mmCIF file of all heavy atoms in Angstrom:
data_model
loop_
_atom_site.group_PDB
_atom_site.id
_atom_site.type_symbol
_atom_site.label_atom_id
_atom_site.label_comp_id
_atom_site.label_asym_id
_atom_site.label_seq_id
_atom_site.Cartn_x
_atom_site.Cartn_y
_atom_site.Cartn_z
ATOM 1 N N SER A 193 113.695 122.719 68.258
ATOM 2 C CA SER A 193 114.648 121.968 67.428
ATOM 3 C C SER A 193 114.287 120.494 67.337
ATOM 4 O O SER A 193 114.406 119.880 66.276
ATOM 5 C CB SER A 193 116.064 122.098 67.996
ATOM 6 O OG SER A 193 116.473 123.444 68.021
ATOM 7 N N ALA A 194 113.878 119.906 68.451
ATOM 8 C CA ALA A 194 113.575 118.468 68.456
ATOM 9 C C ALA A 194 112.865 118.088 69.740
ATOM 10 O O ALA A 194 112.953 118.784 70.749
ATOM 11 C CB ALA A 194 114.851 117.641 68.310
ATOM 12 N N ILE A 195 112.180 116.970 69.677
ATOM 13 C CA ILE A 195 111.600 116.318 70.847
ATOM 14 C C ILE A 195 112.503 115.136 71.200
ATOM 15 O O ILE A 195 112.740 114.266 70.361
ATOM 16 C CB ILE A 195 110.184 115.802 70.556
ATOM 17 C CG1 ILE A 195 109.254 116.951 70.182
ATOM 18 C CG2 ILE A 195 109.637 115.027 71.755
ATOM 19 C CD1 ILE A 195 107.932 116.485 69.595
ATOM 20 N N GLY A 196 113.012 115.109 72.419
ATOM 21 C CA GLY A 196 113.723 113.933 72.909
ATOM 22 C C GLY A 196 112.711 113.011 73.559
ATOM 23 O O GLY A 196 112.193 113.315 74.621
ATOM 24 N N ALA A 197 112.404 111.910 72.924
ATOM 25 C CA ALA A 197 111.277 111.058 73.335
ATOM 26 C C ALA A 197 111.777 109.695 73.791
ATOM 27 O O ALA A 197 112.362 108.942 73.005
ATOM 28 C CB ALA A 197 110.287 110.903 72.182
ATOM 29 N N HIS A 198 111.517 109.374 75.039
ATOM 30 C CA HIS A 198 111.993 108.111 75.597
ATOM 31 C C HIS A 198 111.158 106.924 75.161
ATOM 32 O O HIS A 198 111.697 105.871 74.818
ATOM 33 C CB HIS A 198 112.003 108.189 77.125
ATOM 34 C CG HIS A 198 112.399 106.904 77.788
ATOM 35 N ND1 HIS A 198 111.476 105.982 78.244
ATOM 36 C CD2 HIS A 198 113.607 106.384 78.059
ATOM 37 C CE1 HIS A 198 112.113 104.952 78.765
ATOM 38 N NE2 HIS A 198 113.403 105.171 78.673
ATOM 39 N N LEU A 215 107.139 103.238 71.114
ATOM 40 C CA LEU A 215 106.777 104.578 70.655
ATOM 41 C C LEU A 215 106.695 104.518 69.136
ATOM 42 O O LEU A 215 107.309 103.656 68.515
ATOM 43 C CB LEU A 215 107.810 105.637 71.085
ATOM 44 C CG LEU A 215 107.426 107.095 70.805
ATOM 45 C CD1 LEU A 215 106.185 107.521 71.586
ATOM 46 C CD2 LEU A 215 108.576 108.046 71.121
ATOM 47 N N PRO A 217 107.876 107.127 66.711
ATOM 48 C CA PRO A 217 108.489 108.448 66.527
ATOM 49 C C PRO A 217 108.013 109.158 65.268
ATOM 50 O O PRO A 217 107.833 110.386 65.270
ATOM 51 C CB PRO A 217 109.988 108.145 66.466
ATOM 52 C CG PRO A 217 110.139 106.813 67.147
ATOM 53 C CD PRO A 217 108.888 106.069 66.802
ATOM 54 N N ILE A 226 107.393 118.629 64.579
ATOM 55 C CA ILE A 226 108.702 118.808 65.202
ATOM 56 C C ILE A 226 109.513 117.531 65.004
ATOM 57 O O ILE A 226 108.978 116.420 65.116
ATOM 58 C CB ILE A 226 108.560 119.101 66.711
ATOM 59 C CG1 ILE A 226 107.710 120.350 66.944
ATOM 60 C CG2 ILE A 226 109.934 119.272 67.374
ATOM 61 C CD1 ILE A 226 107.353 120.577 68.418
ATOM 62 N N ALA A 227 110.804 117.676 64.702
ATOM 63 C CA ALA A 227 111.671 116.509 64.587
ATOM 64 C C ALA A 227 111.718 115.765 65.918
ATOM 65 O O ALA A 227 111.618 116.365 66.988
ATOM 66 C CB ALA A 227 113.076 116.925 64.174
ATOM 67 N N VAL A 228 111.887 114.448 65.844
ATOM 68 C CA VAL A 228 111.896 113.605 67.039
ATOM 69 C C VAL A 228 113.210 112.825 67.093
ATOM 70 O O VAL A 228 113.629 112.223 66.101
ATOM 71 C CB VAL A 228 110.711 112.616 67.030
ATOM 72 C CG1 VAL A 228 110.822 111.609 68.180
ATOM 73 C CG2 VAL A 228 109.391 113.384 67.112
ATOM 74 N N VAL A 229 113.853 112.864 68.250
ATOM 75 C CA VAL A 229 115.018 112.021 68.523
ATOM 76 C C VAL A 229 114.562 110.957 69.520
ATOM 77 O O VAL A 229 114.147 111.277 70.640
ATOM 78 C CB VAL A 229 116.195 112.829 69.097
ATOM 79 C CG1 VAL A 229 117.367 111.898 69.419
ATOM 80 C CG2 VAL A 229 116.631 113.909 68.117
ATOM 81 N N ALA A 230 114.611 109.701 69.103
ATOM 82 C CA ALA A 230 114.110 108.606 69.936
ATOM 83 C C ALA A 230 115.036 107.409 69.820
ATOM 84 O O ALA A 230 116.107 107.504 69.231
ATOM 85 C CB ALA A 230 112.676 108.244 69.511
ATOM 86 N N ASP A 231 114.634 106.290 70.389
ATOM 87 C CA ASP A 231 115.458 105.076 70.443
ATOM 88 C C ASP A 231 116.822 105.408 71.054
ATOM 89 O O ASP A 231 117.873 105.110 70.498
ATOM 90 C CB ASP A 231 115.614 104.470 69.042
ATOM 91 C CG ASP A 231 116.229 103.073 69.068
ATOM 92 O OD1 ASP A 231 116.154 102.416 70.126
ATOM 93 O OD2 ASP A 231 116.799 102.658 68.042
ATOM 94 N N LEU A 232 116.781 105.988 72.237
ATOM 95 C CA LEU A 232 117.982 106.574 72.838
ATOM 96 C C LEU A 232 118.824 105.582 73.635
ATOM 97 O O LEU A 232 119.904 105.947 74.103
ATOM 98 C CB LEU A 232 117.569 107.750 73.730
ATOM 99 C CG LEU A 232 117.158 109.000 72.937
ATOM 100 C CD1 LEU A 232 116.137 109.835 73.702
ATOM 101 C CD2 LEU A 232 118.385 109.822 72.598
ATOM 102 N N PHE A 449 116.151 113.895 78.972
ATOM 103 C CA PHE A 449 115.967 113.404 77.599
ATOM 104 C C PHE A 449 115.944 114.544 76.588
ATOM 105 O O PHE A 449 116.301 114.350 75.424
ATOM 106 C CB PHE A 449 114.750 112.485 77.524
ATOM 107 C CG PHE A 449 115.078 111.114 78.031
ATOM 108 C CD1 PHE A 449 114.976 110.813 79.374
ATOM 109 C CD2 PHE A 449 115.581 110.153 77.180
ATOM 110 C CE1 PHE A 449 115.347 109.573 79.866
ATOM 111 C CE2 PHE A 449 115.955 108.901 77.646
ATOM 112 C CZ PHE A 449 115.838 108.609 78.993
ATOM 113 N N LEU A 452 119.631 114.875 76.096
ATOM 114 C CA LEU A 452 120.148 113.830 75.212
ATOM 115 C C LEU A 452 119.823 114.131 73.752
ATOM 116 O O LEU A 452 120.649 113.883 72.857
ATOM 117 C CB LEU A 452 119.585 112.471 75.620
ATOM 118 C CG LEU A 452 120.143 111.886 76.921
ATOM 119 C CD1 LEU A 452 119.312 110.684 77.364
ATOM 120 C CD2 LEU A 452 121.608 111.496 76.761
ATOM 121 N N ALA A 453 118.631 114.678 73.488
ATOM 122 C CA ALA A 453 118.301 115.080 72.124
ATOM 123 C C ALA A 453 119.208 116.220 71.667
ATOM 124 O O ALA A 453 119.655 116.265 70.513
ATOM 125 C CB ALA A 453 116.835 115.506 72.037
ATOM 126 N N HIS A 454 119.482 117.153 72.571
ATOM 127 C CA HIS A 454 120.401 118.256 72.300
ATOM 128 C C HIS A 454 121.788 117.724 71.946
ATOM 129 O O HIS A 454 122.434 118.190 70.985
ATOM 130 C CB HIS A 454 120.454 119.160 73.531
ATOM 131 C CG HIS A 454 121.555 120.136 73.580
ATOM 132 N ND1 HIS A 454 121.636 121.226 72.743
ATOM 133 C CD2 HIS A 454 122.641 120.210 74.398
ATOM 134 C CE1 HIS A 454 122.718 121.916 73.039
ATOM 135 N NE2 HIS A 454 123.343 121.323 74.029
ATOM 136 N N HIS A 456 122.417 114.781 70.683
ATOM 137 C CA HIS A 456 122.310 114.114 69.386
ATOM 138 C C HIS A 456 122.393 115.127 68.248
ATOM 139 O O HIS A 456 123.118 114.903 67.260
ATOM 140 C CB HIS A 456 120.991 113.336 69.306
ATOM 141 C CG HIS A 456 120.780 112.662 67.987
ATOM 142 N ND1 HIS A 456 121.130 111.354 67.748
ATOM 143 C CD2 HIS A 456 120.264 113.126 66.816
ATOM 144 C CE1 HIS A 456 120.846 111.042 66.492
ATOM 145 N NE2 HIS A 456 120.305 112.094 65.909
ATOM 146 N N LEU A 457 121.651 116.221 68.364
ATOM 147 C CA LEU A 457 121.653 117.225 67.297
ATOM 148 C C LEU A 457 123.027 117.845 67.118
ATOM 149 O O LEU A 457 123.392 118.258 66.010
ATOM 150 C CB LEU A 457 120.626 118.317 67.595
ATOM 151 C CG LEU A 457 119.153 117.878 67.610
ATOM 152 C CD1 LEU A 457 118.261 119.080 67.901
ATOM 153 C CD2 LEU A 457 118.757 117.223 66.295
ATOM 154 N N LEU A 476 123.743 108.770 70.770
ATOM 155 C CA LEU A 476 122.536 108.039 71.140
ATOM 156 C C LEU A 476 121.331 108.503 70.341
ATOM 157 O O LEU A 476 121.142 109.700 70.123
ATOM 158 C CB LEU A 476 122.236 108.224 72.633
ATOM 159 C CG LEU A 476 123.310 107.767 73.614
ATOM 160 C CD1 LEU A 476 122.825 107.946 75.048
ATOM 161 C CD2 LEU A 476 123.734 106.327 73.359
ATOM 162 N N GLY A 477 120.514 107.571 69.920
ATOM 163 C CA GLY A 477 119.240 107.892 69.281
ATOM 164 C C GLY A 477 119.313 107.980 67.772
ATOM 165 O O GLY A 477 120.372 107.937 67.152
ATOM 166 N N ALA A 478 118.135 108.091 67.196
ATOM 167 C CA ALA A 478 117.960 108.324 65.762
ATOM 168 C C ALA A 478 116.983 109.476 65.607
ATOM 169 O O ALA A 478 116.170 109.735 66.501
ATOM 170 C CB ALA A 478 117.437 107.068 65.066
ATOM 171 N N ARG A 479 117.047 110.167 64.461
ATOM 172 C CA ARG A 479 116.226 111.365 64.267
ATOM 173 C C ARG A 479 115.190 111.127 63.187
ATOM 174 O O ARG A 479 115.511 110.650 62.095
ATOM 175 C CB ARG A 479 117.114 112.555 63.877
ATOM 176 C CG ARG A 479 116.347 113.848 63.630
ATOM 177 C CD ARG A 479 117.316 114.974 63.253
ATOM 178 N NE ARG A 479 116.608 116.193 62.913
ATOM 179 C CZ ARG A 479 116.112 116.487 61.717
ATOM 180 N NH1 ARG A 479 116.257 115.605 60.719
ATOM 181 N NH2 ARG A 479 115.482 117.614 61.496
ATOM 182 N N TRP A 480 113.934 111.461 63.487
ATOM 183 C CA TRP A 480 112.838 111.449 62.529
ATOM 184 C C TRP A 480 112.503 112.900 62.197
ATOM 185 O O TRP A 480 112.237 113.704 63.104
ATOM 186 C CB TRP A 480 111.618 110.754 63.123
ATOM 187 C CG TRP A 480 111.697 109.266 63.127
ATOM 188 C CD1 TRP A 480 111.100 108.414 62.265
ATOM 189 C CD2 TRP A 480 112.417 108.443 64.063
ATOM 190 N NE1 TRP A 480 111.397 107.113 62.579
ATOM 191 C CE2 TRP A 480 112.208 107.101 63.676
ATOM 192 C CE3 TRP A 480 113.236 108.716 65.167
ATOM 193 C CZ2 TRP A 480 112.786 106.035 64.362
ATOM 194 C CZ3 TRP A 480 113.806 107.647 65.852
ATOM 195 C CH2 TRP A 480 113.579 106.325 65.452
#
Side-chain angles (χ1 to χ4, degrees):
S193 300
I195 299 168
H198 176 264
L215 188 63
I226 302 171
V228 172
V229 178
D231 191 22
L232 286 151
F449 281 87
L452 288 169
H454 166 69
H456 178 94
L457 295 181
L476 301 183
R479 179 180 176 275
W480 282 259

